[in-house]
Amino acid sequence: MPVTPEQQAEIDELRAQTQPTLRAVSPGMEKHLYKAHDVLDHGFVRVIDYMGDDEAICQAARVSYGKGTKSVQNDEGLIRYLMRHWHSTPFEMCEIKLHVKLPVFVARQWIRHRTANVNEYSARYSILDREFYIPRVEDLAAQSVINNQGRGETLTGEEAERVLRYLKDDSNRAYDHYEDMISEEDGKQGLARELARMNLPANIYTQWYWKVDLHNLFHFLRLRADSHAQMEIRVYADAICEIVKDWVPAAYGAFEDYRLGGATLSGKAVECIRKMVAGEEVTQETSGMSKGEWREFMGVVEG
Amino acid sequence: MPVTPEQQAEIDELRAQTQPTLRAVSPGMEKHLYKAHDVLDHGFVRVIDYMGDDEAICQAARVSYGKGTKSVQNDEGLIRYLMRHWHSTPFEMCEIKLHVKLPVFVARQWIRHRTANVNEYSARYSILDREFYIPRVEDLAAQSVINNQGRGETLTGEEAERVLRYLKDDSNRAYDHYEDMISEEDGKQGLARELARMNLPANIYTQWYWKVDLHNLFHFLRLRADSHAQMEIRVYADAICEIVKDWVPAAYGAFEDYRLGGATLSGKAVECIRKMVAGEEVTQETSGMSKGEWREFMGVVEG
Amino acid sequence: MPVTPEQQAEIDELRAQTQPTLRAVSPGMEKHLYKAHDVLDHGFVRVIDYMGDDEAICQAARVSYGKGTKSVQNDEGLIRYLMRHWHSTPFEMCEIKLHVKLPVFVARQWIRHRTANVNEYSARYSILDREFYIPRVEDLAAQSVINNQGRGETLTGEEAERVLRYLKDDSNRAYDHYEDMISEEDGKQGLARELARMNLPANIYTQWYWKVDLHNLFHFLRLRADSHAQMEIRVYADAICEIVKDWVPAAYGAFEDYRLGGATLSGKAVECIRKMVAGEEVTQETSGMSKGEWREFMGVVEG
Amino acid sequence: MPVTPEQQAEIDELRAQTQPTLRAVSPGMEKHLYKAHDVLDHGFVRVIDYMGDDEAICQAARVSYGKGTKSVQNDEGLIRYLMRHWHSTPFEMCEIKLHVKLPVFVARQWIRHRTANVNEYSARYSILDREFYIPRVEDLAAQSVINNQGRGETLTGEEAERVLRYLKDDSNRAYDHYEDMISEEDGKQGLARELARMNLPANIYTQWYWKVDLHNLFHFLRLRADSHAQMEIRVYADAICEIVKDWVPAAYGAFEDYRLGGATLSGKAVECIRKMVAGEEVTQETSGMSKGEWREFMGVVEG
């Protein structure tokens, strides 16, 4: 269970009392505040705070473009226009602060997105909990044989069992030894926490506060809610997508259409499309593309 | 008058209605929301939105340091500890969004602080207003004779009059010609706005939405609320200081003590202080410092 | 003439002497070092330093992907793969430092790209030169009637003459008064430079050192070497493109194909293309796109 | 041994051939290029590339301050002036690219410095080596009893032995199982690398290319070459300090004096110093400082 009874009590208390504010309020987001959305076996995502809504994006755009935005009839149209033309600064005017509990190997990918603010639980100061990510059997995938970074079929039988046994046993043993090393009982001095933590494997859970603006969040989601992302980070991105959809529905709709569901074509691909639409035949050989490019291009054209 | 009647009506309307929220609310900040604080002759600063309060800083710190922060009895003590030890990430968990109206030459300095989000009024799309910063007579300072970038005594008499006349006449003439160039009356085609704007001087007013986290705002304020900053940007920094004081009183107090009112000493200066406190005499010659360094050091030691 | 005789002498001297280095050297870039490429009437771009070459991009990618990159036969193929899949970090491993002389209104657009290092000539400390951008007659475009930020036809006849006269007269008069205000002759005190500069119009030239990594430079070039960019900044982007082409030919080739010459399609547009390629008819009405979107989509499909 | 024979052969080859360049060359840095400086038991730091030298810092400053910098007689004086007055942009004009091999728990601290470019070895694509950081006996410190994040006395006797045994056994067992999980021998499918890596502990070595400008590097070094930093990252910072000293001797000298060896005082501390220098007695009670602050203040004043 990701959330402890103490945490749930705190959440309930925070959700019990509203205060008046003059700021922009997103009703869809207020529903999410503080609640933990479960992810993986012990992880969660929860909204701690937010700034702005769809209207705030338009308001900022209208400061920039002034009378130039008059022609766009409504907010949704303006937001779609901004997204289509890569006008990123109005989206930067919204901000979200999340509390995330996640395995360390996921945190290591996540932190590569540098344009965000982070406060992570410190294993130099404090003692980590005995919580490890252990995949479900159906998520134990083999190395892909066609893609260096992807996953192939699901492991079966004894092999799957052995993998699960390793993951469970090793993490528990590592944690037993971690506890023993820092223990000050029985006359022991107790190893410094900043040293003892090095014995813990990458599937241990950590947690952090992560604050980011909407433009950079969309960039993160485009890469991590993508089918090429590792499943264990994609489930976090998917959970955040559901939250953002309620927070800024118009902006999320434009993001879904222009980024998540869209495609980027090279100059060569654009030329091929012009020929194909005109009825000409095009093959990989005549396209000027490599085999890998052509395969990806066909994925766009044929679906 | 910085604020137009339309803007004032909009401010009044926005301030008339509160909405309930579950988020952290800073009562001191709610008082400021939307209101315009006048700066210079036509400029202003006003708060459009904010995220977080003093407690949010502590909450983020406690995620990081966990039980490690237990020993600090209260929030104010924790905030002072964080500020003293340059733990900047908890302060990044607060965010502010300002609407600022300011002369272009001030905007050019301001924008050098890169860690912020900006939406500026676009003179490619829209037509700028006829509003120019004209200094008060008492602010017409001569070039400093001891400091390459500073100001010296105030100009007087005919020289001051001539300067004011130049500034007023030139900006008005430039604006007349700007209007004439973009005019499409009397069969004229009208020069593109993106070209016509190049005729306007650097004292014309622009405006933008500027969003920044509290850590980076403090960095901005330390440099710009400083006596070495140009007066025309310092007055904006001073106005923001007053706002931040009401928003996050404990954080602002720590900032005032450790940054605004503090001093940074070199290794040589620390050695001199040790000698001086021990009763030894130290001179510029024996200090190892250059004359400039020594003068600044004396400013710290003697006040 | 953008470059003064003193600057030319300095350039000649710097180019006369080579030194041995163990670092990666790009022969195509060495040809450009220090030389000024003229832009507009008084501006220039010149390379002051650079780090890395095409091979350095691959070297960094191979640290990341290790044996995973073995399958890609050569450097050019790897670079195209990285560009196609938005693997941006290897491109960040190259860096360029430019000296740019440019009008202030261009500098104001340019500085909006925040992920770069800048040292600009300071008009607080120093006196600006009497150099203003005056457009060529053929560049005096009217405001576009279909696009709020674009240019339309070229101004003609008396209207063009009047615009040029305004721009020349106003900038010269403003500079005369600038000089007079800061003058300390004839018993005058001389206005502080930081104040006097406010009288100068946005077509005055400034200069800066601008340092940026290749990934962020490509982002800048994609936006500014684009047909929607204002001509006065596009000519700088175009000049930089020519330099980058000689510096990292493979990376530039991939950038040209995938970014400059490519297109981004929305989910709706991808669906339309699938239908069109399959021989179905699609119209704006059945596409689900707005008129503006459809017009842009047709621009991609029909060229 | 940190460097493999293949790596050493590559280093020797790269160091055998120089090429001519017109760029700024730092002779002190050329000596370091490519060579591995050993850190910890299997780690290293080595310079892959650099841009600029002390003169480049001054050159950039002189673009900014123009004639304003004339009064400073020489480069070293100018650099000290820039450092003293927090003029950071000229230092951003130098850049360094390092190849670092380091334990994962060190990498996790390091990456928190966001203003840098990173390409890390990917355990999704590739297989990690069996290399773990095992502390020397003399580095096995107990948890500090006065500081939540610090280290106390060294562990002794059986406790030290047990800790070492845990660290060695657990990391080797984890690696054995890692190898077994990804193995495709004997008809096994082989778990995907991106999953198998989660079994590896935080003392396994990773490696990356890390590129940063000199200003941000100094910031990193100030925090990490500090006595409060964890020893295992401080040794990397110390190794980099030695390199920077040879690269930009004047800038490093100023950094050492103003940052590493300096001190930051609060407003209260400045007041105390004024009193103390004037011969007045000051105690913690009359200082207005907390006990913690006073202890740190005494550390500055008494050494």
Side-chain angles (χ1 to χ4, degrees), chain A residues 112 114 116 118 120 124-125 143 149 151 159 166 170 177 180 189-190 193-194 197 199 230, chain D residues 108 112 114 116 118 124-125 143 149 151 159 166 170 177 180 189-190 193-194 197 199 230:
Chain A
R112 302 299 311 280
R114 288 159 296 178
V118 184
E120 185 176 354
R124 288 188 75 191
Y125 288 80
Q143 179 74 11
Q149 74 176 105
R151 295 186 184 188
E159 190 173 352
Y166 282 156
D170 287 0
H177 294 167
D180 192 34
Q189 297 177 271
R193 289 165 194 169
E194 67 179 27
R197 63 168 164 169
N199 203 51
Q230 180 165 355
Chain D
R108 295 241 295 137
R112 302 301 310 279
R114 287 160 295 179
V118 184
R124 287 187 77 193
Y125 289 79
Q143 180 74 11
Q149 74 176 108
R151 295 187 186 186
E159 189 173 352
Y166 282 156
D170 286 359
H177 294 168
D180 192 33
Q189 296 176 271
R193 289 163 194 171
E194 68 178 27
R197 62 170 165 169
N199 203 51
Q230 180 163 355

Side-chain angles (χ1 to χ4, degrees), chain B residues 21-188:
Chain B
T21 186
L22 290 163
R23 291 173 290 171
V25 170
S26 164
M29 196 63 153
E30 293 283 334
K31 287 189 311 180
H32 287 288
L33 268 170
Y34 309 123
K35 284 185 191 164
H37 297 266
D38 295 357
V39 186
L40 298 179
D41 49 357
H42 299 288
F44 60 70
V45 169
R46 62 195 199 102
V47 182
I48 297 301
D49 208 341
Y50 70 92
M51 174 191 276
D53 56 5
D54 276 331
E55 212 184 315
I57 298 167
C58 298
Q59 185 189 34
R62 290 191 172 110
V63 169
S64 295
Y65 309 125
K67 294 152 200 156
T69 50
K70 258 196 189 155
S71 58
V72 181
Q73 288 115 328
N74 55 42
D75 280 11
E76 196 191 326
L78 175 56
I79 284 174
R80 286 182 64 83
Y81 174 91
L82 296 169
M83 183 71 78
R84 196 159 78 246
H85 291 94
W86 303 89
H87 290 291
S88 55
T89 53
F91 297 103
E92 294 175 8
M93 289 289 140
C94 293
E95 191 92 12
I96 190 173
K97 182 159 60 178
L98 299 171
H99 181 190
V100 188
K101 190 171 158 194
L102 71 179
V104 162
F105 71 95
V106 174
R108 296 241 296 138
Q109 285 197 337
W110 194 310
I111 200 79
R112 301 301 309 278
H113 297 264
R114 286 159 296 179
T115 319
N117 309 116
V118 185
N119 275 272
E120 184 176 356
Y121 186 86
S122 169
R124 285 188 78 193
Y125 289 78
S126 304
I127 299 169
L128 287 162
D129 290 326
R130 186 192 288 265
E131 283 184 314
F132 298 91
Y133 168 58
I134 305 295
R136 298 176 304 177
V137 181
E138 59 265 40
D139 293 328
L140 288 179
Q143 179 75 10
S144 166
V145 289
I146 52 161
N147 183 336
N148 275 308
Q149 73 175 107
R151 296 188 184 185
E153 313 221 315
T154 304
L155 297 195
T156 51
E158 201 207 343
E159 190 172 353
E161 276 170 43
R162 196 175 56 250
V163 162
L164 284 181
R165 200 172 56 240
Y166 283 155
L167 294 176
K168 284 178 196 167
D169 289 356
D170 287 359
S171 49
N172 271 308
R173 188 187 302 103
Y175 196 86
D176 288 344
H177 294 167
Y178 168 70
E179 273 192 319
D180 192 33
M181 288 192 284
I182 60 176
S183 166
E184 298 173 9
E185 291 173 9
D186 305 324
K188 285 191 282 184

Side-chain angles (χ1 to χ4, degrees), chain A residues 67-178:
Chain A
K67 293 152 200 155
T69 50
K70 259 197 189 156
S71 56
V72 181
Q73 286 114 330
N74 56 42
D75 280 12
E76 197 192 327
L78 175 56
I79 284 175
R80 288 182 62 83
Y81 175 90
L82 296 169
M83 183 71 78
R84 196 158 78 245
H85 292 94
W86 303 90
H87 290 290
S88 54
T89 53
F91 297 101
E92 295 175 7
M93 289 289 139
C94 291
E95 191 93 10
I96 189 172
K97 182 160 57 176
L98 300 171
H99 181 191
V100 187
K101 190 171 158 196
L102 71 178
V104 162
F105 71 94
V106 174
R108 295 242 294 139
Q109 284 197 339
W110 193 310
I111 200 79
R112 302 299 311 280
H113 297 263
R114 288 159 296 178
T115 319
N117 309 116
V118 184
N119 275 271
E120 185 176 354
Y121 187 86
S122 169
R124 288 188 75 191
Y125 288 80
S126 304
I127 300 170
L128 286 163
D129 290 325
R130 187 192 287 264
E131 283 184 313
F132 298 91
Y133 168 58
I134 305 294
R136 299 175 305 176
V137 183
E138 60 265 40
D139 293 329
L140 288 179
Q143 179 74 11
S144 165
V145 289
I146 52 160
N147 183 335
N148 276 306
Q149 74 176 105
R151 295 186 184 188
E153 312 219 316
T154 305
L155 297 195
T156 53
E158 203 206 340
E159 190 173 352
E161 277 170 41
R162 196 174 58 249
V163 163
L164 283 181
R165 202 172 56 239
Y166 282 156
L167 293 176
K168 284 178 196 166
D169 289 357
D170 287 0
S171 50
N172 271 309
R173 187 187 303 103
Y175 196 87
D176 288 344
H177 294 167
Y178 168 70

